[in-house]
Amino acid sequence: MSVIWRVLLPIICLWTAGIIYILLFNNNNDIWTKNYSLFESVCENIYFKRCTQSRRAWLNCIENISSRNRLHGLNESTFTSNWPPSSITSLIDDELPIINLALRVAFTKDAENPFNNKHYQHFLRLTESIKHGPGLWSWQYNLFPQVLDFNKLIVDVENGIPLTNLPINNPEIFAIRLPKYICNPCRRQIVPDLIVVIKSCSYCKAERDHARNTFMQKHLWTNFTVQFVFVVGVPYPNESNMFTFSKRKFKLKNSWWTLSRKYDRDRWTFMKRLAMEAELYEDMLIGSFHDTYFNLTTKIIFTFRWLSALRPSAVPLFVFVDSDYDLVPRNVIKYYKNQSADQLRDLVGGRKHMSSIVVRPRNDGNISNIWAVTLREFPWAIYPAYFYGATFMLGSNVVKRLAIASAFTQHIRIDDAYLGILFSKLNILPQNLDIISLGNGVCNIQSGAINIPLSKSKRIIDWKTGWLK
């Protein structure tokens, strides 16, 4: 009998493996052979699934997306809509079956190119006149491009009124993979009380798994509906840690580059793992931008556009948290329930940066600090008031205005400072909240802090209860 089993067992194993392979092959092949409507393709993330079927497919998709970014500067699309758009069909790209979060709004035939605008030319002369030193000490941030009446601009965009000025910061920005149950207009949605946006990176799976196993646990959010989404970009082939800004070179040395080098020889394998993770958890929003530290501003703009365009209208508040911070569910719920719905919708709360001095490159022309920007990029010596990026809260009314204003505000790569510039453009006063923690532990949580650094939460939080040990 044992001899028979020694013969039969390998045959049975091979037969079983063959059946599994055929089933998997047929399932994957269905992505290529089934005829999907355009709407179905977007809703089911078909483009992303096809892109992640093979190394060659992924490289082709990266090239297609990159070429679109190179060809479209000011985004003068013939297809126009108001913002937020009334239908998902208004967001589907003209060429690819994915969501395009560039503002495709109405313009007059003679709409002015922002780079030809007299105010922009004045801005250039201003930056050229400052050769050295920290920069301007005056507070005329309204001169930072573009110079517009932003209150009127937002009303016009919301109502679909043609604009007389083209946007200066409106590149193609694609949502190449949507989470299934969060802000997804393709499905009947549960309207949550709160949406938490976790600013993650494509290589940061360990932090995402930590969040899923700790503060994201459903039982910690009693009598409260919350949804979580990780926002990431994508790794690019041939990644480098050398960047050039305004002819200044910078060598990026941080955790992103360490992780990038780890997967340097087989980045496609990592991309496949990222796709599998997104499919398994359905809690990831993946953008088409290269996921590096210097694209964090693009990431936050992308997030604002997605939230303002696709979130259920009844959601009043969003919490934005860095992936190296945890939330304290009990304190989040307590703070939320102490505010009225109107207060939540208009909330602009975080921990204000007390020293917002602009960091400059070294005299030798190289950038020695990840926060250094040139005078050409931002000629003022001090930034407008902004929040630390660790954790902050924005109401739905505010996010909508930020999403629109970002297209008409020149890009700088320091995302926290860029958010402060948007606040200044919109005459928004950021509110300093003591419940936002930057590093303290037990005392802050007992006093109502809604967040805590991941490195400290491991020591003092019992994640079975979500409270102090």
Side-chain angles (χ1 to χ4, degrees), residues 90 103 148 165 190 214 222 236 318 337 355 439:
S90 303
L103 254 65
L148 299 168
N165 296 90
I190 296 173
T214 55
T222 308
Y236 267 44
F318 310 105
K337 291 188 174 180
S355 177

Side-chain angles (χ1 to χ4, degrees), residues 68-87:
R68 290 291 306 282
N69 289 337
R70 290 193 295 268
L71 291 173
H72 293 73
L74 298 175
N75 209 257
E76 298 179 71
S77 174
T78 55
F79 185 89
T80 59
S81 172
N82 56 330
W83 192 278
S86 56
S87 168

Side-chain angles (χ1 to χ4, degrees), residues 289-309:
F289 50 89
H290 184 197
D291 205 346
T292 77
Y293 183 86
F294 290 132
N295 264 342
L296 291 179
T297 295
T298 300
K299 182 178 290 186
I300 197 68
I301 292 172
F302 170 74
T303 306
F304 290 159
R305 301 271 179 84
W306 175 70
L307 289 172
S308 64

Side-chain angles (χ1 to χ4, degrees), residues 125-294:
R125 290 192 296 271
L126 187 66
T127 58
E128 290 297 330
S129 67
I130 309 170
K131 299 298 183 182
H132 303 287
L136 300 170
W137 289 101
S138 65
W139 313 115
Q140 294 177 310
Y141 296 120
N142 63 305
L143 295 177
F144 188 77
Q146 290 171 264
V147 179
L148 299 168
D149 181 343
F150 275 81
N151 288 329
K152 181 180 184 303
L153 169 75
I154 289 171
V155 171
D156 288 348
V157 169
E158 288 178 323
N159 292 287
I161 298 172
L163 306 178
T164 58
N165 296 90
L166 294 175
I168 198 170
N169 184 30
N170 194 34
E172 310 283 10
I173 183 167
F174 304 108
I176 58 176
R177 196 191 193 287
L178 301 172
K180 182 177 288 187
Y181 305 110
I182 308 162
C183 298
N184 192 326
C186 306
R187 291 172 172 80
R188 181 176 294 178
Q189 301 184 56
I190 296 173
V191 179
D193 298 303
L194 174 71
I195 293 177
V196 174
V197 176
I198 303 169
K199 297 174 286 180
S200 187
C201 79
S202 56
Y203 296 116
C204 299
K205 185 178 186 300
E207 286 86 348
R208 289 192 291 274
D209 285 341
H210 167 83
R212 293 175 182 125
N213 294 324
T214 55
F215 67 86
M216 286 175 60
Q217 296 177 93
K218 189 174 181 179
H219 75 271
L220 299 179
W221 301 85
T222 308
N223 299 321
F224 192 81
T225 306
V226 59
Q227 291 180 337
F228 301 90
V229 60
F230 297 97
V231 181
V232 303
V234 291
Y236 267 44
N238 304 316
E239 285 181 343
S240 169
N241 67 334
M242 296 300 298
F243 297 84
T244 301
F245 304 107
S246 298
K247 299 180 181 180
R248 307 289 182 99
K249 293 182 178 180
F250 176 64
K251 190 174 185 178
L252 185 60
K253 297 179 180 179
N254 66 356
S255 58
W256 166 80
W257 179 238
T258 301
L259 291 168
S260 176
R261 291 189 65 187
K262 179 179 178 180
Y263 297 101
D264 184 47
R265 292 188 177 182
D266 200 5
R267 197 161 281 119
W268 153 247
T269 299
F270 172 79
M271 188 61 223
K272 188 64 177 176
R273 291 176 187 170
L274 186 69
M276 292 171 64
E277 180 188 358
E279 186 77 17
L280 176 63
Y281 293 104
E282 289 293 355
D283 59 4
M284 297 176 68
L285 172 66
I286 302 180
S288 59
F289 50 89
H290 184 197
D291 205 346
T292 77
Y293 183 86
F294 290 132

